[in-house]
Amino acid sequence: MAQKKRTDRPYTSADQNLLVKDANIWTGEGFTRGSVLIENGTIKRIARRIDAQDGEVINASGLYALPGMIDVHVHLRDMRLSYKEDFASGTAAAAAGGFTTVLDMPNTVPPTDSVQHLVEKQKRAERKVRVNVGFHAAATSENKVIAELAGAGAFSLKLYMPKPIAPFDVNDNAEIQKMMISAGRIGVPVTVHAEEMEPSQKKARVNNIQQLAKARPPILETRAVHRIASIQKRTRCRVHFCHLTLASSLGEIRAGSPRTTSEVTPHHLLLSTKSLKKLGWKAWMVPPLRSERNRRALLSATHAGSCDIVASDHAPHLIGEKKQRPEDSPPGVPGLETTLSLMLTLVDKGILNFSILTRMMAENPARIFGLRSKAKLWPGFDGDLVLVDRKKKSRIDSSKFLSKAKFSPFDGFPTKGGVVSTIVGGTVVYDDGELWDKEGSGAVLRSRFFE
Ligand code: DOR
Ligand code: ZN
């Protein structure tokens, strides 16, 4: 059992040492017992025994040290959507969920569609974030804007097919190809929300959430993945497909170009249309939940290693907004504080294992988005790690979320395995259910695709 209090002093010191003592440390292949010394934000030494020097010591006996989780698909909102979530609350939720790095999506007000807007967000985040944050930008076919966005550190160009964030004709294959050629030259990936909307499907009349979900059937994803993957083949562009819901999509991507990668969310792995009637607005997101049959197939394909990334698609909204008439209810559910414990629960059940979990939640995110100093607990890598208690039994309780969005389709879900401490660059930001550090303990990350 983890001790309740592992140190007497609050840990706040990026410029000091932090010794994480007696943990089960993830090596990349398995666990080994030992200690991790972090100096000036970087892992300095890992050894069976390291004697405490000056600086903080955190007793991790009985706990498992994993590389800090990386969530590549998060809507932190802020700016004029701060009432839904802001950089401080969203990154507090990330810390509570074991994520040390998150990448923010560009569908904000204003959108991340120009270098000015990107830099504005980066500056504003600088003083507020508790974990590391990078930014995706909106897809554009203008070469000059693509180069500027990539130069300012955008992690991808997001193509939101249902409703482009910046002006973009998603039906025009030539325009998509033009963007991919330019992005491919620069090295910045394109991320895709793959749903091929038909004009009649843009605003359906509905009575309930089930009908809303029905209006966006699986075929829309199949068509979108197929069309985008075909265009990608003619370019050198790397394309990452967000929140896929079908095993067949994972299959097509795996069998296709090595430059395409896939992502799934915990809600599509664990929930189906079976729960829609009961959960209503709490389970309304796009793409929507699928049939139980599709869900099972997605989970077994993920178990078989066919998917690259698990991301939360943390999409906070006010409960008041969600509870409106179905056609006005904004899609999206918060996920930063549930994703890791749900995945640990699947590990506990033997449905996933730690190799798959760390690969999908740290190693692949770092590799695909060029975070070269992250995702490994090795000397020289960033001091980002999460301590988990594999025995911790709990139930998901959204009233305790640090996110402003205090609802979840997983409320009441039993979990086994949970976050005890989250360490960002050698600073403990979350420990034993408490947020420790001040705003601004995380770094704003800029992509280095150019180098
Ligand atoms: O459910 C969703 N919510 N899907 C999206 O694609 C957007 C997101 C949001 O921003 O709320
Ligand atoms: Zn999203």
Side-chain angles (χ1 to χ4, degrees):
M1 261 302 278
Q3 284 166 252
K4 185 82 187 78
K5 206 83 195 146
R6 286 177 302 283
T7 176
D8 294 328
R9 288 196 286 150
Y11 340 82
T12 52
S13 47
D15 50 353
Q16 282 182 18
N17 300 344
L18 177 74
L19 180 63
V20 179
K21 225 177 143 129
D22 291 331
N24 298 291
I25 304 164
W26 180 250
T27 62
E29 279 160 9
F31 289 102
T32 178
R33 189 83 193 272
S35 299
V36 184
L37 178 67
I38 304 170
E39 245 180 52
N40 300 326
T42 303
I43 299 176
K44 178 81 194 259
R45 252 184 95 201
I46 298 181
R48 188 155 286 260
R49 251 197 77 162
I50 303 176
D51 291 325
Q53 300 155 356
D54 35 333
E56 305 293 341
V57 179
I58 182 162
N59 176 6
S61 89
L63 301 179
Y64 289 76
L66 305 176
M69 299 293 133
I70 301 173
D71 193 339
V72 305
H73 191 146
V74 170
H75 299 265
L76 288 179
R77 316 284 194 213
D78 206 288
M79 319 298 277
R80 270 178 262 154
L81 296 177
S82 293
Y83 67 94
K84 291 178 194 259
E85 192 80 290
D86 61 36
F87 291 140
S89 62
T91 55
F99 290 99
T100 52
T101 298
V102 300
L103 300 183
D104 170 70
M105 282 297 169
N107 60 333
T108 45
V109 186
T112 320
D113 59 354
S114 66
V115 72
Q116 289 87 338
H117 285 157
L118 172 59
V119 169
E120 205 180 309
K121 259 189 169 178
Q122 289 169 329
K123 276 202 189 127
R124 194 174 155 88
E126 209 85 60
R127 289 165 282 123
K128 294 177 76 182
V129 293
R130 279 137 166 164
V131 303
N132 306 310
V133 175
F135 295 97
H136 296 289
T140 163
S141 52
E142 282 181 55
N143 292 345
K144 184 170 160 276
V145 181
I146 295 176
E148 282 172 357
L149 288 167
F155 278 85
S156 83
L157 302 172
K158 172 87 185 276
L159 183 60
Y160 187 58
M161 293 173 79
K163 200 171 161 216
I165 297 158
F168 198 105
D169 184 358
V170 287
N171 297 314
D172 183 353
N173 289 352
E175 186 162 351
I176 297 175
Q177 185 169 329
K178 181 170 174 259
M179 171 183 66
M180 285 191 188
I181 289 171
S182 172
R185 256 188 220 128
I186 291 167
V188 62
V190 167
T191 43
V192 183
H193 177 126
E195 267 189 302
E196 192 92 271
M197 305 305 280
E198 284 160 16
S200 61
Q201 277 157 336
K202 281 197 172 137
K203 187 94 184 178
R205 278 248 179 87
V206 291
N207 298 319
N208 53 42
I209 297 290
Q210 292 109 288
Q211 286 176 0
L212 269 184
K214 254 202 185 132
R216 300 175 78 129
I219 186 71
L220 304 185
E221 176 175 310
T222 307
R223 279 190 202 137
V225 168
H226 190 71
R227 182 160 71 93
I228 298 294
S230 313
I231 303 171
Q232 183 278 337
K233 284 194 187 110
R234 297 178 222 140
T235 74
R236 284 169 38 208
C237 186
R238 291 189 293 124
V239 174
H240 177 71
F241 289 91
C242 302
H243 45 47
L244 294 163
T245 65
L246 307 170
S248 56
S249 303
L250 301 182
E252 169 150 12
I253 290 161
R254 229 341 103 87
S257 156
R259 290 202 174 90
T260 53
T261 49
S262 57
E263 169 192 305
V264 293
T265 68
H267 42 268
H268 294 119
L269 289 175
L270 294 166
L271 301 170
S272 69
T273 44
K274 244 171 81 181
S275 15
L276 265 188
K277 189 162 181 220
K278 193 177 92 203
L279 293 171
W281 58 267
K282 288 185 188 170
W284 168 229
M285 75 288 289
V286 291
L289 296 180
R290 302 301 189 199
S291 69
E292 188 56 17
R293 198 160 152 246
N294 277 328
R295 178 195 78 80
R296 287 216 186 110
L298 189 72
L299 184 58
S300 66
T302 302
H303 163 84
S306 302
C307 182
D308 297 296
I309 288 182
V310 169
S312 71
D313 194 8
H314 179 79
H317 295 285
L318 292 185
I319 290 177
E321 297 174 300
K322 295 281 292 179
K323 275 185 165 169
Q324 295 173 89
R325 289 185 314 183
E327 58 268 44
D328 297 325
S329 177
V333 298
L336 280 169
E337 288 163 272
T338 51
T339 297
L340 180 56
S341 57
L342 290 168
M343 292 302 113
L344 288 168
T345 306
L346 290 179
V347 171
D348 180 66
K349 289 189 170 147
I351 296 169
L352 294 182
N353 58 43
F354 275 102
S355 290
I356 296 182
L357 185 148
T358 51
R359 204 185 309 141
M360 294 182 82
M361 296 184 69
E363 286 166 26
N364 285 345
R367 179 177 54 78
I368 292 165
F369 291 96
L371 300 160
R372 290 174 218 156
S373 57
K374 301 207 177 289
K376 287 201 167 54
L377 298 184
W378 292 355
F381 278 75
D382 293 349
D384 296 345
L385 56 116
V386 55
L387 298 176
V388 305
D389 179 353
R390 290 177 66 180
K391 298 202 186 103
K392 185 173 167 186
K393 282 190 180 176
S394 187
R395 271 182 196 276
I396 286 172
D397 177 0
S398 61
S399 70
K400 301 218 173 84
F401 283 177
L402 301 183
S403 166
K404 291 186 184 179
K406 299 198 195 307
F407 68 90
S408 170
F410 291 110
D411 257 327
F413 241 66
T415 53
K416 188 164 173 202
V419 175
V420 177
S421 307
T422 305
I423 297 164
V424 179
T427 298
V428 180
V429 295
Y430 180 86
D431 185 57
D432 265 342
E434 260 180 79
L435 199 63
W436 273 99
D437 207 34
K438 296 193 286 283
E439 293 182 5
S441 53
V444 170
L445 306 176
R446 288 164 183 85
S447 69
R448 292 158 54 205
F449 299 122
F450 263 138
E451 290 167 21

